[in-house]
Amino acid sequence: MPIKIVDLFAGPGGLGEGFSALSDGTAFRILISAEMESSAHATLRLRSFFRLVRNDPRALAGYYAFCNGDADLPYSAQSESAWNESGVEARQLTLGNPDHNRELDGVLDDKLRRQDKWVLIGGPPCQAYSLVGRSRNIGTATYRPEDDPRHFLYKEYLRIIRDRRPPVFVMENVKGILSSRVGGKKIFHDILRDLSDPDGAFGETGSRPGYRIHSLVTETCYKSGMEPAAIDPRDFIVRAEDFGIPQARHRVILLGVRTDVAADFTRLSPRPEVHVRDVIRDLPPLRSRLSSGDDSATEWRTTVRSHLFELAEDAKLKGLGRLAARLRQSAEQVRLGLPSGALRCPRQKSSADAPHLADWYLDPNIRYWLNHEARSHMSSDLRRYGYAATYAALHQHSPKGHAEFSLAGLAPNHENWESGKFADRFRVQFYDAPATTVTSHIAKDGHYFIHPDPTQCRSLTVREAARLQTFPDNYFFQGNRTQQYHQVGNAVPPRLAFMIAGIVKEILK
Protein backbone atom coordinates (compact mmCIF):
# COMPACT_ATOMS: atom_id res chain seq x y z
CA MET A 1 0.00 0.00 0.00
CA PRO A 2 1.63 3.33 -1.06
CA ILE A 3 2.22 5.93 1.65
CA LYS A 4 -0.12 8.89 1.15
CA ILE A 5 1.25 12.38 0.45
CA VAL A 6 -0.40 15.74 1.11
CA ASP A 7 1.49 18.45 -0.80
CA LEU A 8 0.79 22.07 0.19
CA PHE A 9 2.11 25.16 -1.63
CA ALA A 10 3.04 22.64 -4.32
CA GLY A 11 4.09 24.96 -7.17
CA PRO A 12 4.54 22.85 -10.32
CA GLY A 13 5.13 19.78 -8.14
CA GLY A 14 8.90 19.30 -7.80
CA LEU A 15 8.78 17.96 -4.25
CA GLY A 16 5.85 15.66 -4.99
CA GLU A 17 7.52 14.44 -8.19
CA GLY A 18 10.53 13.17 -6.25
CA PHE A 19 8.35 11.27 -3.78
CA SER A 20 6.16 9.89 -6.55
CA ALA A 21 9.17 8.56 -8.47
CA LEU A 22 10.53 6.41 -5.63
CA SER A 23 10.36 2.65 -6.26
CA ASP A 24 8.90 3.30 -9.73
CA GLY A 25 5.95 5.11 -8.21
CA THR A 26 4.91 2.37 -5.78
CA ALA A 27 6.25 3.80 -2.49
CA PHE A 28 4.21 7.01 -2.30
CA ARG A 29 0.98 8.32 -3.80
CA ILE A 30 -0.15 11.94 -3.74
CA LEU A 31 -3.56 12.23 -2.12
CA ILE A 32 -3.95 15.94 -2.75
CA SER A 33 -1.69 18.76 -3.91
CA ALA A 34 -2.62 22.42 -3.48
CA GLU A 35 -1.33 25.39 -5.47
CA MET A 36 -2.86 28.85 -5.86
CA GLU A 37 -1.24 30.15 -9.08
CA SER A 38 -3.16 29.12 -12.19
CA SER A 39 -0.31 28.22 -14.56
CA ALA A 40 1.57 26.25 -11.88
CA HIS A 41 -1.68 24.47 -11.07
CA ALA A 42 -2.13 23.60 -14.76
CA THR A 43 1.35 22.04 -14.78
CA LEU A 44 0.62 20.25 -11.51
CA ARG A 45 -2.61 18.76 -12.85
CA LEU A 46 -1.05 17.65 -16.12
CA ARG A 47 1.69 15.85 -14.19
CA SER A 48 -0.87 14.25 -11.90
CA PHE A 49 -2.63 12.92 -15.00
CA PHE A 50 0.67 11.52 -16.33
CA ARG A 51 1.26 9.61 -13.10
CA LEU A 52 -2.28 8.25 -13.08
CA VAL A 53 -2.01 6.82 -16.62
CA ARG A 54 1.66 5.89 -16.86
CA ASN A 55 0.87 2.18 -16.49
CA ASP A 56 -2.00 2.31 -19.02
CA PRO A 57 -0.47 2.34 -22.55
CA ARG A 58 -3.66 3.50 -24.29
CA ALA A 59 -4.27 6.41 -21.92
CA LEU A 60 -0.56 7.30 -21.84
CA ALA A 61 -0.59 7.57 -25.62
CA GLY A 62 -2.97 10.52 -25.26
CA TYR A 63 -0.53 12.30 -22.95
CA TYR A 64 2.28 11.84 -25.46
CA ALA A 65 0.04 12.96 -28.33
CA PHE A 66 -0.56 16.21 -26.42
CA CYS A 67 3.15 16.71 -25.69
CA ASN A 68 4.00 16.00 -29.33
CA GLY A 69 1.41 18.46 -30.63
CA ASP A 70 -0.80 15.78 -32.18
CA ALA A 71 -3.77 16.50 -29.88
CA ASP A 72 -5.22 19.61 -28.28
CA LEU A 73 -5.99 17.79 -25.02
CA PRO A 74 -3.96 15.24 -23.06
CA TYR A 75 -6.91 12.89 -22.62
CA SER A 76 -9.46 11.09 -24.79
CA ALA A 77 -12.90 9.66 -24.10
CA GLN A 78 -11.18 6.52 -22.78
CA SER A 79 -8.98 8.46 -20.32
CA GLU A 80 -11.35 11.28 -19.35
CA SER A 81 -12.03 9.62 -15.98
CA ALA A 82 -8.30 9.76 -15.18
CA TRP A 83 -8.25 13.44 -16.21
CA ASN A 84 -11.14 14.12 -13.86
CA GLU A 85 -9.30 12.24 -11.11
CA SER A 86 -6.24 14.44 -11.67
CA GLY A 87 -8.45 17.45 -10.97
CA VAL A 88 -9.47 15.89 -7.68
CA GLU A 89 -5.84 15.36 -6.71
CA ALA A 90 -4.30 18.63 -7.98
CA ARG A 91 -6.39 21.55 -6.75
CA GLN A 92 -6.11 25.28 -7.20
CA LEU A 93 -6.39 26.43 -3.61
CA THR A 94 -5.27 29.57 -1.79
CA LEU A 95 -4.47 28.40 1.71
CA GLY A 96 -5.72 30.90 4.26
CA ASN A 97 -8.88 31.51 2.25
CA PRO A 98 -11.67 30.12 4.49
CA ASP A 99 -13.56 28.48 1.62
CA HIS A 100 -10.41 26.86 0.27
CA ASN A 101 -9.37 25.72 3.74
CA ARG A 102 -12.75 24.03 4.11
CA GLU A 103 -12.31 22.32 0.74
CA LEU A 104 -8.90 20.98 1.79
CA ASP A 105 -10.22 19.85 5.16
CA GLY A 106 -13.12 18.07 3.47
CA VAL A 107 -10.73 16.03 1.33
CA LEU A 108 -8.57 15.14 4.32
CA ASP A 109 -11.64 14.19 6.39
CA ASP A 110 -12.77 11.91 3.60
CA LYS A 111 -9.45 10.37 2.55
CA LEU A 112 -7.27 10.21 5.69
CA ARG A 113 -7.60 8.01 8.74
CA ARG A 114 -5.79 8.60 12.00
CA GLN A 115 -3.87 5.35 11.70
CA ASP A 116 -2.73 5.98 8.11
CA LYS A 117 0.91 6.26 7.21
CA TRP A 118 1.12 9.58 5.42
CA VAL A 119 3.45 12.51 4.94
CA LEU A 120 2.86 16.25 4.73
CA ILE A 121 5.23 18.04 2.34
CA GLY A 122 5.58 21.56 0.97
CA GLY A 123 7.09 24.97 1.43
CA PRO A 124 5.17 28.15 2.26
CA PRO A 125 5.84 31.02 -0.19
CA CYS A 126 9.28 32.47 0.38
CA GLN A 127 9.08 36.07 -0.92
CA ALA A 128 8.90 37.54 2.58
CA TYR A 129 11.94 35.54 3.73
CA SER A 130 14.24 35.77 0.72
CA LEU A 131 17.08 38.27 0.84
CA VAL A 132 15.94 39.80 -2.45
CA GLY A 133 12.38 40.16 -1.19
CA ARG A 134 13.49 41.72 2.07
CA SER A 135 15.75 44.15 0.24
CA ARG A 136 12.79 45.19 -1.88
CA ASN A 137 10.62 45.63 1.22
CA ILE A 138 13.19 47.88 2.88
CA GLY A 139 12.70 50.32 0.01
CA THR A 140 9.01 50.65 0.92
CA ALA A 141 8.66 53.28 3.63
CA THR A 142 5.38 51.92 5.00
CA TYR A 143 6.47 48.25 5.08
CA ARG A 144 6.19 46.48 8.44
CA PRO A 145 7.07 42.75 8.63
CA GLU A 146 4.37 42.31 11.27
CA ASP A 147 1.73 43.32 8.71
CA ASP A 148 2.97 41.06 5.90
CA PRO A 149 0.72 37.98 5.81
CA ARG A 150 3.34 36.04 3.86
CA HIS A 151 5.41 35.76 7.04
CA PHE A 152 2.65 33.69 8.59
CA LEU A 153 1.59 31.40 5.76
CA TYR A 154 3.56 28.63 7.45
CA LYS A 155 0.75 28.63 10.03
CA GLU A 156 -1.56 27.19 7.37
CA TYR A 157 0.90 24.33 7.07
CA LEU A 158 1.13 24.18 10.87
CA ARG A 159 -2.65 24.01 11.20
CA ILE A 160 -2.71 20.76 9.23
CA ILE A 161 0.05 19.37 11.46
CA ARG A 162 -1.88 20.30 14.58
CA ASP A 163 -5.19 18.90 13.36
CA ARG A 164 -3.99 15.82 11.47
CA ARG A 165 -0.71 14.82 13.18
CA PRO A 166 1.16 13.28 10.23
CA PRO A 167 3.85 10.80 11.31
CA VAL A 168 6.37 12.77 9.20
CA PHE A 169 6.47 16.15 7.50
CA VAL A 170 8.99 17.80 5.19
CA MET A 171 9.04 21.61 5.02
CA GLU A 172 11.27 23.53 2.61
CA ASN A 173 12.13 27.23 2.40
CA VAL A 174 14.80 29.69 1.36
CA LYS A 175 17.96 30.21 3.40
CA GLY A 176 16.86 33.76 4.21
CA ILE A 177 14.28 32.37 6.64
CA LEU A 178 17.12 31.79 9.12
CA SER A 179 17.79 35.52 9.52
CA SER A 180 14.33 36.97 8.85
CA ARG A 181 12.88 38.93 11.80
CA VAL A 182 9.38 39.96 12.76
CA GLY A 183 8.87 42.26 15.72
CA GLY A 184 12.59 42.10 16.45
CA LYS A 185 12.52 38.30 16.87
CA LYS A 186 13.95 35.68 14.53
CA ILE A 187 10.99 34.03 12.86
CA PHE A 188 12.94 30.77 12.45
CA HIS A 189 13.06 30.37 16.21
CA ASP A 190 9.27 30.73 16.36
CA ILE A 191 8.87 28.24 13.53
CA LEU A 192 10.98 25.63 15.36
CA ARG A 193 8.98 26.12 18.56
CA ASP A 194 5.65 25.96 16.73
CA LEU A 195 6.46 22.90 14.62
CA SER A 196 7.75 20.94 17.60
CA ASP A 197 4.67 21.79 19.70
CA PRO A 198 1.70 22.41 17.35
CA ASP A 199 -0.83 22.56 20.20
CA GLY A 200 1.17 25.17 22.09
CA ALA A 201 1.58 27.22 18.91
CA PHE A 202 -2.19 27.77 18.93
CA GLY A 203 -2.40 28.37 22.69
CA GLU A 204 -3.79 24.92 23.39
CA THR A 205 -2.76 22.26 25.87
CA GLY A 206 -3.01 18.53 25.46
CA SER A 207 -1.25 15.21 25.69
CA ARG A 208 -0.89 14.55 21.97
CA PRO A 209 2.66 13.87 20.73
CA GLY A 210 4.70 16.72 19.29
CA TYR A 211 7.62 16.56 16.86
CA ARG A 212 11.37 16.31 16.68
CA ILE A 213 12.76 18.59 13.95
CA HIS A 214 15.72 16.89 12.28
CA SER A 215 18.41 18.12 9.94
CA LEU A 216 18.85 16.02 6.80
CA VAL A 217 22.62 16.57 6.72
CA THR A 218 23.79 16.68 10.36
CA GLU A 219 22.83 15.05 13.66
CA THR A 220 21.15 18.29 14.80
CA CYS A 221 17.66 17.77 16.18
CA TYR A 222 15.38 20.35 17.79
CA LYS A 223 12.92 19.16 20.44
CA SER A 224 10.12 20.98 22.23
CA GLY A 225 11.39 22.92 25.23
CA MET A 226 14.88 23.49 23.81
CA GLU A 227 16.20 27.00 23.35
CA PRO A 228 16.39 27.57 19.55
CA ALA A 229 19.42 29.83 19.97
CA ALA A 230 21.34 26.85 21.39
CA ILE A 231 21.55 25.15 17.98
CA ASP A 232 23.19 26.34 14.79
CA PRO A 233 20.37 27.06 12.32
CA ARG A 234 22.77 26.53 9.41
CA ASP A 235 22.68 22.82 10.21
CA PHE A 236 19.29 22.71 8.50
CA ILE A 237 20.66 24.02 5.18
CA VAL A 238 20.83 21.45 2.39
CA ARG A 239 23.41 22.37 -0.26
CA ALA A 240 22.04 20.64 -3.33
CA GLU A 241 25.34 20.55 -5.21
CA ASP A 242 26.78 18.30 -2.47
CA PHE A 243 24.24 15.63 -3.43
CA GLY A 244 24.66 15.41 -7.18
CA ILE A 245 22.27 18.21 -8.16
CA PRO A 246 23.83 20.34 -10.95
CA GLN A 247 23.08 23.58 -9.14
CA ALA A 248 24.38 25.41 -6.06
CA ARG A 249 20.95 25.62 -4.47
CA HIS A 250 20.99 26.16 -0.69
CA ARG A 251 17.66 25.66 1.03
CA VAL A 252 16.41 25.10 4.56
CA ILE A 253 14.70 21.71 4.76
CA LEU A 254 13.12 20.56 8.00
CA LEU A 255 12.27 16.90 8.62
CA GLY A 256 9.62 16.62 11.33
CA VAL A 257 9.08 13.21 12.95
CA ARG A 258 6.29 12.70 15.46
CA THR A 259 7.69 11.91 18.89
CA ASP A 260 5.98 8.51 19.06
CA VAL A 261 7.63 7.44 15.78
CA ALA A 262 11.18 6.06 15.81
CA ALA A 263 13.58 8.19 13.79
CA ASP A 264 16.64 6.05 13.16
CA PHE A 265 17.55 6.99 9.61
CA THR A 266 20.49 7.58 7.31
CA ARG A 267 20.99 11.22 6.40
CA LEU A 268 21.63 12.48 2.90
CA SER A 269 24.89 11.04 1.59
CA PRO A 270 27.27 13.28 -0.38
CA ARG A 271 27.52 12.48 -4.08
CA PRO A 272 29.97 13.45 -6.84
CA GLU A 273 29.56 16.96 -8.19
CA VAL A 274 27.51 17.30 -11.38
CA HIS A 275 28.21 20.17 -13.76
CA VAL A 276 26.14 22.20 -16.20
CA ARG A 277 27.72 20.44 -19.18
CA ASP A 278 26.72 17.05 -17.78
CA VAL A 279 23.00 17.81 -18.02
CA ILE A 280 22.57 20.20 -20.99
CA ARG A 281 25.16 18.84 -23.44
CA ASP A 282 22.58 16.99 -25.53
CA LEU A 283 20.15 19.92 -25.84
CA PRO A 284 20.32 21.52 -29.31
CA PRO A 285 21.99 24.94 -29.66
CA LEU A 286 19.68 27.88 -30.25
CA ARG A 287 20.08 31.47 -31.24
CA SER A 288 18.55 34.22 -29.18
CA ARG A 289 15.79 36.30 -30.71
CA LEU A 290 16.03 40.00 -31.56
CA SER A 291 13.52 42.00 -29.55
CA SER A 292 13.28 44.77 -32.13
CA GLY A 293 13.65 45.03 -35.85
CA ASP A 294 13.85 42.09 -38.21
CA ASP A 295 14.17 38.88 -36.21
CA SER A 296 15.72 36.50 -38.71
CA ALA A 297 18.61 34.07 -38.42
CA THR A 298 20.61 36.17 -40.89
CA GLU A 299 19.97 39.48 -39.12
CA TRP A 300 20.76 37.91 -35.75
CA ARG A 301 24.07 36.49 -36.99
CA THR A 302 25.04 39.80 -38.57
CA THR A 303 24.21 41.68 -35.36
CA VAL A 304 26.12 39.34 -33.04
CA ARG A 305 29.18 39.12 -35.27
CA SER A 306 29.26 42.91 -35.62
CA HIS A 307 29.18 43.35 -31.84
CA LEU A 308 31.92 40.80 -31.23
CA PHE A 309 34.24 42.12 -33.95
CA GLU A 310 33.79 45.70 -32.64
CA LEU A 311 34.59 44.56 -29.12
CA ALA A 312 37.66 42.70 -30.39
CA GLU A 313 38.97 45.88 -32.02
CA ASP A 314 38.40 47.89 -28.84
CA ALA A 315 40.10 45.21 -26.74
CA LYS A 316 43.10 45.30 -29.09
CA LEU A 317 43.34 49.11 -28.79
CA LYS A 318 43.32 48.78 -25.00
CA GLY A 319 46.14 46.26 -25.01
CA LEU A 320 43.95 43.24 -24.19
CA GLY A 321 45.38 40.98 -26.85
CA ARG A 322 44.21 37.62 -25.52
CA LEU A 323 40.68 38.89 -25.02
CA ALA A 324 40.68 40.47 -28.50
CA ALA A 325 41.72 37.17 -30.07
CA ARG A 326 39.06 35.26 -28.17
CA LEU A 327 36.34 37.74 -29.16
CA ARG A 328 37.33 37.42 -32.83
CA GLN A 329 37.21 33.65 -32.48
CA SER A 330 33.70 33.84 -31.02
CA ALA A 331 32.59 36.12 -33.86
CA GLU A 332 33.94 33.78 -36.52
CA GLN A 333 32.20 30.76 -34.93
CA VAL A 334 28.70 32.31 -34.84
CA ARG A 335 26.67 30.02 -37.06
CA LEU A 336 24.00 30.79 -39.62
CA GLY A 337 20.78 28.84 -39.45
CA LEU A 338 20.46 28.20 -35.74
CA PRO A 339 16.80 27.87 -34.71
CA SER A 340 15.41 29.98 -31.88
CA GLY A 341 13.48 27.06 -30.40
CA ALA A 342 9.82 26.71 -29.53
CA LEU A 343 7.36 25.38 -26.99
CA ARG A 344 7.89 22.11 -28.88
CA CYS A 345 11.35 22.19 -30.43
CA PRO A 346 11.87 19.31 -32.93
CA ARG A 347 14.41 16.72 -31.85
CA GLN A 348 17.13 16.03 -34.40
CA LYS A 349 19.57 13.15 -34.40
CA SER A 350 22.52 14.29 -32.36
CA SER A 351 26.07 13.06 -31.84
CA ALA A 352 26.11 14.59 -28.36
CA ASP A 353 26.57 12.30 -25.40
CA ALA A 354 23.47 11.49 -23.37
CA PRO A 355 23.12 13.60 -20.23
CA HIS A 356 24.09 12.50 -16.76
CA LEU A 357 21.19 10.49 -15.30
CA ALA A 358 19.86 9.85 -18.80
CA ASP A 359 17.32 7.35 -17.47
CA TRP A 360 15.95 10.07 -15.19
CA TYR A 361 15.73 12.80 -17.83
CA LEU A 362 15.02 11.17 -21.18
CA ASP A 363 11.78 9.76 -22.55
CA PRO A 364 11.94 8.21 -26.04
CA ASN A 365 8.21 8.80 -26.56
CA ILE A 366 8.68 12.58 -26.68
CA ARG A 367 9.54 13.72 -30.21
CA TYR A 368 10.25 17.31 -29.13
CA TRP A 369 12.31 19.21 -26.64
CA LEU A 370 9.53 20.74 -24.56
CA ASN A 371 9.80 24.35 -23.34
CA HIS A 372 13.11 24.84 -25.20
CA GLU A 373 12.67 28.33 -26.63
CA ALA A 374 15.15 31.21 -26.54
CA ARG A 375 13.82 34.53 -25.29
CA SER A 376 14.26 37.82 -27.13
CA HIS A 377 17.08 40.18 -26.18
CA MET A 378 17.86 43.77 -27.05
CA SER A 379 20.81 44.29 -29.35
CA SER A 380 22.73 45.98 -26.50
CA ASP A 381 22.24 42.88 -24.34
CA LEU A 382 23.42 40.61 -27.14
CA ARG A 383 26.64 42.62 -27.08
CA ARG A 384 26.97 42.10 -23.32
CA TYR A 385 26.06 38.40 -23.40
CA GLY A 386 28.50 37.59 -26.20
CA TYR A 387 31.24 39.53 -24.42
CA ALA A 388 30.49 38.07 -20.98
CA ALA A 389 30.44 34.45 -22.18
CA THR A 390 33.69 34.96 -24.13
CA TYR A 391 35.36 36.68 -21.16
CA ALA A 392 34.21 33.90 -18.80
CA ALA A 393 35.57 31.17 -21.06
CA LEU A 394 38.94 32.95 -21.16
CA HIS A 395 39.27 33.94 -17.49
CA GLN A 396 37.11 31.29 -15.78
CA HIS A 397 34.95 33.85 -14.01
CA SER A 398 32.13 36.13 -15.06
CA PRO A 399 33.15 39.74 -15.71
CA LYS A 400 32.21 41.92 -12.76
CA GLY A 401 31.36 45.59 -12.56
CA HIS A 402 32.57 48.48 -14.66
CA ALA A 403 36.25 47.48 -14.47
CA GLU A 404 35.69 44.22 -16.33
CA PHE A 405 32.96 45.67 -18.56
CA SER A 406 35.24 48.45 -19.78
CA LEU A 407 34.96 47.94 -23.52
CA ALA A 408 32.88 50.25 -25.69
CA GLY A 409 29.12 49.90 -25.53
CA LEU A 410 28.95 47.49 -22.59
CA ALA A 411 28.03 49.79 -19.71
CA PRO A 412 24.29 49.63 -18.90
CA ASN A 413 22.35 52.84 -18.53
CA HIS A 414 22.48 52.93 -14.71
CA GLU A 415 23.45 56.05 -12.80
CA ASN A 416 25.24 53.95 -10.17
CA TRP A 417 26.95 51.56 -12.59
CA GLU A 418 30.40 52.44 -11.23
CA SER A 419 29.35 52.38 -7.56
CA GLY A 420 29.71 48.59 -7.28
CA LYS A 421 26.00 48.11 -6.65
CA PHE A 422 25.60 46.33 -10.00
CA ALA A 423 28.88 44.37 -9.90
CA ASP A 424 27.04 41.08 -10.42
CA ARG A 425 24.55 42.41 -12.93
CA PHE A 426 25.64 39.85 -15.53
CA ARG A 427 26.53 36.26 -14.67
CA VAL A 428 27.62 33.46 -16.97
CA GLN A 429 26.90 29.84 -16.10
CA PHE A 430 29.97 27.61 -16.50
CA TYR A 431 29.99 24.30 -18.32
CA ASP A 432 32.40 22.73 -15.84
CA ALA A 433 30.75 23.70 -12.55
CA PRO A 434 27.31 23.43 -10.97
CA ALA A 435 25.00 26.28 -11.95
CA THR A 436 24.25 29.09 -9.58
CA THR A 437 20.82 28.94 -7.95
CA VAL A 438 18.00 28.90 -10.49
CA THR A 439 15.50 31.38 -9.04
CA SER A 440 12.21 32.87 -10.14
CA HIS A 441 14.17 36.01 -11.13
CA ILE A 442 15.07 34.19 -14.34
CA ALA A 443 11.56 35.14 -15.48
CA LYS A 444 12.42 38.87 -15.44
CA ASP A 445 15.60 38.85 -17.53
CA GLY A 446 18.43 36.51 -18.41
CA HIS A 447 21.29 38.58 -17.04
CA TYR A 448 22.08 36.13 -14.21
CA PHE A 449 21.70 33.07 -16.42
CA ILE A 450 23.84 33.66 -19.52
CA HIS A 451 24.49 30.52 -21.55
CA PRO A 452 28.19 29.55 -21.47
CA ASP A 453 28.42 29.31 -25.28
CA PRO A 454 29.07 32.83 -26.63
CA THR A 455 28.07 31.77 -30.14
CA GLN A 456 24.49 31.20 -28.94
CA CYS A 457 24.51 34.62 -27.25
CA ARG A 458 21.47 34.16 -25.02
CA SER A 459 20.13 33.29 -21.60
CA LEU A 460 19.03 29.81 -20.56
CA THR A 461 15.77 28.38 -21.85
CA VAL A 462 13.06 26.98 -19.58
CA ARG A 463 14.14 23.43 -20.49
CA GLU A 464 17.78 24.13 -19.67
CA ALA A 465 16.73 25.60 -16.32
CA ALA A 466 14.48 22.55 -15.79
CA ARG A 467 17.44 20.25 -16.48
CA LEU A 468 19.46 22.10 -13.84
CA GLN A 469 16.50 21.62 -11.48
CA THR A 470 16.42 17.89 -12.47
CA PHE A 471 12.92 17.84 -13.95
CA PRO A 472 12.45 14.95 -16.41
CA ASP A 473 12.11 15.95 -20.06
CA ASN A 474 8.50 14.73 -20.18
CA TYR A 475 7.53 17.30 -17.53
CA PHE A 476 5.58 19.80 -19.63
CA PHE A 477 5.36 23.28 -18.07
CA GLN A 478 2.15 25.13 -18.84
CA GLY A 479 1.40 28.86 -19.10
CA ASN A 480 3.35 31.50 -20.97
CA ARG A 481 7.16 31.46 -20.95
CA THR A 482 7.44 33.93 -18.05
CA GLN A 483 5.15 31.73 -15.97
CA GLN A 484 7.14 28.64 -16.94
CA TYR A 485 10.35 30.29 -15.73
CA HIS A 486 8.64 31.20 -12.44
CA GLN A 487 7.52 27.63 -11.92
CA VAL A 488 10.96 26.17 -12.53
CA GLY A 489 12.74 28.76 -10.39
CA ASN A 490 10.43 28.28 -7.41
CA ALA A 491 10.49 24.48 -7.42
CA VAL A 492 12.32 21.91 -5.31
CA PRO A 493 14.67 19.80 -7.47
CA PRO A 494 12.79 16.52 -7.98
CA ARG A 495 15.99 14.45 -7.80
CA LEU A 496 16.78 15.90 -4.38
CA ALA A 497 13.18 15.24 -3.31
CA PHE A 498 13.65 11.65 -4.53
CA MET A 499 16.56 11.23 -2.09
CA ILE A 500 14.56 12.76 0.76
CA ALA A 501 11.68 10.39 -0.04
CA GLY A 502 14.04 7.49 0.48
CA ILE A 503 14.77 8.74 4.01
CA VAL A 504 11.08 9.18 4.78
CA LYS A 505 10.34 5.69 3.52
CA GLU A 506 13.10 4.35 5.80
CA ILE A 507 11.49 6.05 8.81
CA LEU A 508 7.99 4.75 8.00
CA LYS A 509 8.94 1.23 6.97
Side-chain angles (χ1 to χ4, degrees):
M1 179 70 70
I3 298 165
K4 296 175 181 177
I5 295 289
V6 174
D7 188 2
L8 304 184
F9 307 104
L15 194 50
E17 175 69 13
F19 274 79
S20 300
L22 194 70
S23 303
D24 293 325
T26 63
F28 295 93
R29 183 182 184 280
I30 297 177
L31 178 67
I32 182 171
S33 53
E35 169 55 34
M36 63 177 287
E37 200 277 322
S38 59
S39 65
H41 169 257
T43 301
L44 193 66
R45 181 176 184 181
L46 183 62
R47 194 61 181 181
S48 169
F49 175 73
F50 170 79
R51 287 193 294 267
L52 289 170
V53 301
R54 62 183 162 192
N55 294 320
D56 180 347
R58 289 183 64 190
L60 189 58
Y63 176 83
Y64 287 129
F66 175 69
C67 291
N68 290 323
D70 297 330
D72 294 331
L73 297 171
Y75 62 91
S76 63
Q78 290 78 20
S79 59
E80 188 171 5
S81 61
W83 178 253
N84 292 336
E85 187 179 348
S86 72
V88 173
E89 176 195 306
R91 305 203 180 198
Q92 188 174 1
L93 299 176
T94 301
L95 299 185
N97 177 302
D99 291 337
H100 291 189
N101 281 5
R102 280 191 291 273
E103 182 177 338
L104 173 63
D105 288 340
V107 173
L108 300 183
D109 286 340
D110 185 46
K111 303 289 187 181
L112 274 183
R113 298 178 181 86
R114 291 287 180 183
Q115 67 271 25
D116 280 349
K117 285 184 179 180
W118 69 285
V119 184
L120 178 67
I121 63 175
C126 62
Q127 299 97 321
Y129 306 130
S130 72
L131 299 180
V132 172
R134 283 151 57 187
S135 175
R136 191 178 299 120
N137 293 336
I138 288 172
T140 304
T142 59
Y143 180 78
R144 294 176 70 249
E146 297 87 342
D147 299 331
D148 189 338
R150 297 175 301 175
H151 274 115
F152 307 104
L153 279 173
Y154 84 90
K155 294 218 168 180
E156 297 300 328
Y157 188 92
L158 180 64
R159 182 183 69 84
I160 301 300
I161 296 175
R162 177 199 62 179
D163 294 347
R164 309 286 171 174
R165 284 306 200 275
V168 175
F169 67 79
V170 177
M171 178 175 164
E172 181 264 358
N173 218 291
V174 293
K175 189 168 62 172
I177 197 173
L178 300 181
S179 56
S180 183
R181 291 177 179 270
V182 175
K185 297 190 303 180
K186 283 191 173 181
I187 196 165
F188 185 64
H189 288 178
D190 288 339
I191 288 174
L192 285 179
R193 291 189 186 98
D194 291 348
L195 291 174
S196 66
D197 179 16
D199 288 330
F202 288 91
E204 302 168 355
T205 58
S207 57
R208 293 187 297 176
Y211 289 84
R212 299 179 298 268
I213 314 300
H214 293 271
S215 164
L216 287 165
V217 293
T218 74
E219 297 294 327
T220 296
C221 174
Y222 178 83
K223 302 174 184 176
S224 180
M226 290 177 62
E227 176 51 54
I231 63 175
D232 189 341
R234 294 172 297 181
D235 288 347
F236 293 100
I237 296 174
V238 175
R239 293 169 172 81
E241 70 273 24
D242 293 342
F243 306 102
I245 307 302
Q247 177 190 171
R249 191 179 193 87
H250 299 172
R251 291 293 186 263
V252 172
I253 303 182
L254 306 179
L255 175 67
V257 182
R258 211 172 58 203
T259 53
D260 61 342
V261 176
D264 183 17
F265 62 91
T266 304
R267 280 147 182 86
L268 289 172
S269 301
R271 302 191 179 207
E273 195 171 82
V274 179
H275 297 161
V276 170
R277 188 193 307 274
D278 297 329
V279 297
I280 71 167
R281 61 190 171 209
D282 62 321
L283 293 175
L286 304 176
R287 68 169 179 88
S288 51
R289 297 174 185 269
L290 294 166
S291 61
S292 60
D294 177 23
D295 176 38
S296 67
T298 301
E299 184 63 27
W300 172 82
R301 182 173 184 261
T302 299
T303 300
V304 173
R305 282 168 56 90
S306 176
H307 283 314
L308 291 171
F309 278 130
E310 288 174 11
L311 289 166
E313 287 301 309
D314 194 39
K316 182 180 178 181
L317 290 173
K318 291 177 178 173
L320 303 172
R322 289 177 62 228
L323 179 58
R326 200 62 176 260
L327 286 164
R328 280 195 299 273
Q329 182 184 54
S330 292
E332 290 162 358
Q333 292 176 344
V334 174
R335 285 178 281 172
L336 181 63
L338 281 181
S340 56
L343 181 65
R344 296 175 177 88
C345 183
R347 296 177 75 116
Q348 306 291 339
K349 287 186 177 180
S350 171
S351 60
D353 292 337
H356 172 76
L357 288 176
D359 289 345
W360 176 269
Y361 285 111
L362 299 178
D363 185 335
N365 296 296
I366 302 290
R367 302 198 309 268
Y368 295 86
W369 300 107
L370 303 175
N371 310 109
H372 190 46
E373 180 180 18
R375 73 205 311 166
S376 298
H377 299 300
M378 298 185 299
S379 176
S380 57
D381 281 334
L382 293 182
R383 188 180 185 94
R384 296 179 186 112
Y385 288 8
Y387 166 79
T390 301
Y391 182 102
L394 178 65
H395 295 290
Q396 296 305 298
H397 72 268
S398 288
K400 290 193 172 189
H402 69 283
E404 293 179 345
F405 267 89
S406 59
L407 300 186
L410 294 178
N413 187 23
H414 291 303
E415 290 183 5
N416 300 320
W417 170 241
E418 297 188 10
S419 68
K421 183 178 179 181
F422 296 98
D424 270 339
R425 178 69 171 150
F426 302 95
R427 184 182 298 160
V428 179
Q429 302 301 317
F430 286 89
Y431 275 128
D432 297 318
T436 56
T437 308
V438 177
T439 68
S440 62
H441 185 82
I442 194 173
K444 296 184 181 300
D445 60 49
H447 298 344
Y448 279 25
F449 304 96
I450 299 172
H451 195 284
D453 180 3
T455 68
Q456 297 185 53
C457 202
R458 61 179 176 83
S459 57
L460 299 180
T461 66
V462 171
R463 180 50 53 190
E464 287 163 341
R467 279 281 184 94
L468 298 174
Q469 281 278 57
T470 68
F471 279 98
D473 288 352
N474 58 19
Y475 216 105
F476 197 4
F477 295 92
Q478 302 298 289
N480 61 41
R481 193 171 60 224
T482 295
Q483 292 168 330
Q484 295 164 21
Y485 276 121
H486 265 294
Q487 292 170 46
V488 174
N490 284 330
V492 175
R495 188 69 184 181
L496 180 62
F498 177 83
M499 299 176 208
I500 296 170
I503 292 174
V504 173
K505 182 184 175 187
E506 182 183 350
I507 293 170
L508 293 178
K509 66 184 178 182

